[in-house]
Amino acid sequence: MRTPQRVTTDGLPERVTIYEVGPRDGLQNESTIVPVEVKAEFVARLVAAGLQVVETTSFVHPKWVPQLADAAELLGLVDLDSAPRMPVLVPNERGLDRALEAGVREVAIFGSATESFAQANLNRSLDEQYAMFEPVVTRALDAGLSVRAYVSMCFGDPWEGDVSVAQVVGVGRRLVDMGASELSLGDTIGVGTPGQVQSLISEFVDAGVPISQLAMHFHDTYGQALANALTSLRCGVTTLDASAGGLGGCPYAESATGNLATEDLVWQLHGLGIETGVDLAALVDTSAWMAGQLGRPSPSRVVQALAN
Ligand code: HMG
Ligand code: MG
């Protein structure tokens, strides 16, 4: 299989952690329900392809996201020790209870930077979301779990349009103060451009959030995800979220399409001589297989170029 020519450039990290969200962000948006055995094989293949972090599923309300209603059953089929980190999404205490029962070691809460998305995605106001997350974080930390926090709509919102940097930093800061050790800044509808990315990251650093705690989560709706990823690396970010095969989106955000495809990101990173630990050929095989399961081609350009 073709590989990118390796040419390094100054000012970039030597190693990047890819936080794989395909089984969660990818599959939550599929119109068909993927059989649980297929999901379990997807997770196992992603781990076998060298991904160190695989977000496996969500313990959200099954009526809100029926695609992931099988979360507990799935975790019964997944080896939670097979990768260093296998987090799950958890919005509230009920979700945490279910996650603890399933034996997870890391949970991710997901806040909104905007009032409209807090209402649409969590059935809570912007302020009420904190009351929902606080006991989740406290109890998770007490139980020895790690907690990641997402902030959605960091670069624009389908209902409210532009979102101010100060608003995003305010929400993110609050989730970090609650005890989240990693903060993932989400471009949920994929509208952001590199200048915005640079400005948001620098405002977070100025607000006292260390760059090592930041991760970036790009959807590729407007084709900006790879440029935004490279900009993030130049700012010193070393954790990037991506979804195998470019699957993804949010059922509660109009026009949220697929995430940055993991293969496209890996091609760029390996071309820049940045280590990821990922076997690109195995990953492409996995996404091509998953595309077969879903009955449509992968939107990832690298999968399209490399899959037979
Ligand atoms: P609600 O209807 O307000 O829930 O939903 P509630 O607290 O009023 O409870 C109502 C009933 O639901 C109760 O049952 C609860 O026990 C039950 P009853 O007492 O009536 O019999 N319930 C649950 N059952 C199972 N698991 C649970 C759970 N919670 C309550 N966890 C809620 C509030 C937050 C639950 C709902 O709005 C929800 O599930 N939202 C999740 C939506 C979602 O998953 N969106 C996609 C993920 S976010 C995303 O994709 C963005 C991201 O990728 C980053 C980016 O791109 O920006 C992360
Ligand atoms: Mg997302």
Side-chain angles (χ1 to χ4, degrees):
M1 190 177 279
R2 185 186 285 265
T3 54
Q5 187 181 348
R6 187 175 174 277
V7 180
T8 59
T9 170
D10 288 343
L12 293 175
E14 280 175 15
R15 188 176 174 89
V16 161
T17 299
I18 298 179
Y19 184 105
E20 170 62 46
V21 296
R24 193 280 301 170
D25 209 339
L27 298 184
Q28 76 182 8
N29 208 40
E30 283 301 315
S31 49
T32 50
I33 307 271
V34 177
V36 70
E37 295 78 14
V38 172
K39 291 177 179 176
E41 185 171 347
F42 188 33
V43 171
R45 289 180 71 148
L46 292 170
V47 171
L51 287 153
Q52 302 287 296
V53 193
V54 180
E55 193 174 76
T56 50
T57 186
S58 292
F59 286 95
V60 295
H61 196 298
K63 287 212 180 93
W64 282 63
V65 183
Q67 293 88 341
L68 303 183
D70 58 5
E73 199 186 347
L74 173 62
L75 293 196
L77 300 174
V78 161
D79 178 0
L80 284 172
D81 293 322
S82 58
R85 292 172 62 191
M86 302 187 86
V88 299
L89 237 57
V90 156
N92 55 13
E93 288 194 88
R94 175 81 188 99
L96 179 66
D97 290 339
R98 294 173 61 211
L100 288 170
E101 214 167 293
V104 307
R105 292 196 306 269
E106 179 171 351
V107 293
I109 55 169
F110 48 104
S112 171
T114 67
E115 185 64 46
S116 306
F117 189 61
Q119 295 285 357
N121 198 49
L122 297 168
N123 199 24
R124 297 290 182 279
S125 71
L126 205 48
D127 274 342
E128 285 166 349
Q129 69 179 346
Y130 303 115
M132 186 162 77
F133 296 142
E134 245 152 25
V136 174
V137 176
T138 307
R139 285 184 49 209
L141 294 176
D142 285 351
L145 272 58
S146 305
V147 178
R148 156 183 260 230
Y150 285 96
V151 184
S152 285
M153 300 302 174
C154 293
F155 299 94
D157 174 282
W159 300 275
E160 300 180 20
D162 295 350
V163 179
S164 84
V165 168
Q167 168 94 353
V168 178
V169 173
V171 172
R173 185 71 254 187
R174 204 149 159 189
L175 300 178
V176 168
D177 290 344
M178 243 180 233
S181 53
E182 185 167 275
L183 186 69
S184 174
L185 305 177
D187 186 3
T188 320
I189 56 169
V191 291
T193 52
Q196 273 183 289
V197 171
Q198 194 176 339
S199 140
L200 187 65
I201 293 171
S202 99
E203 290 292 328
F204 265 103
V205 171
D206 288 351
V209 179
I211 195 84
S212 57
Q213 244 180 299
L214 289 180
M216 302 303 290
H217 179 103
F218 297 116
H219 286 259
D220 202 25
T221 320
Y222 288 82
Q224 303 299 302
L226 264 184
N228 289 340
L230 183 57
T231 303
S232 308
L233 299 180
R234 290 205 187 284
C235 294
V237 168
T238 55
T239 301
L240 293 172
D241 298 2
S243 171
L247 301 170
C250 177
Y252 292 99
E254 170 209 332
S255 78
T257 60
N259 290 72
L260 167 60
T262 313
E263 291 83 356
D264 298 11
L265 177 63
V266 168
W267 183 274
Q268 185 180 88
L269 295 176
H270 289 184
L272 287 163
I274 298 171
E275 276 178 47
T276 64
V278 173
D279 174 344
L280 182 59
L283 185 60
V284 167
D285 275 354
T286 299
S287 290
W289 164 80
M290 197 63 205
Q293 297 292 326
L294 297 171
R296 59 183 167 74
S298 160
S300 158
R301 304 297 289 266
V302 170
V303 174
Q304 286 169 23
L306 294 182
N308 304 315

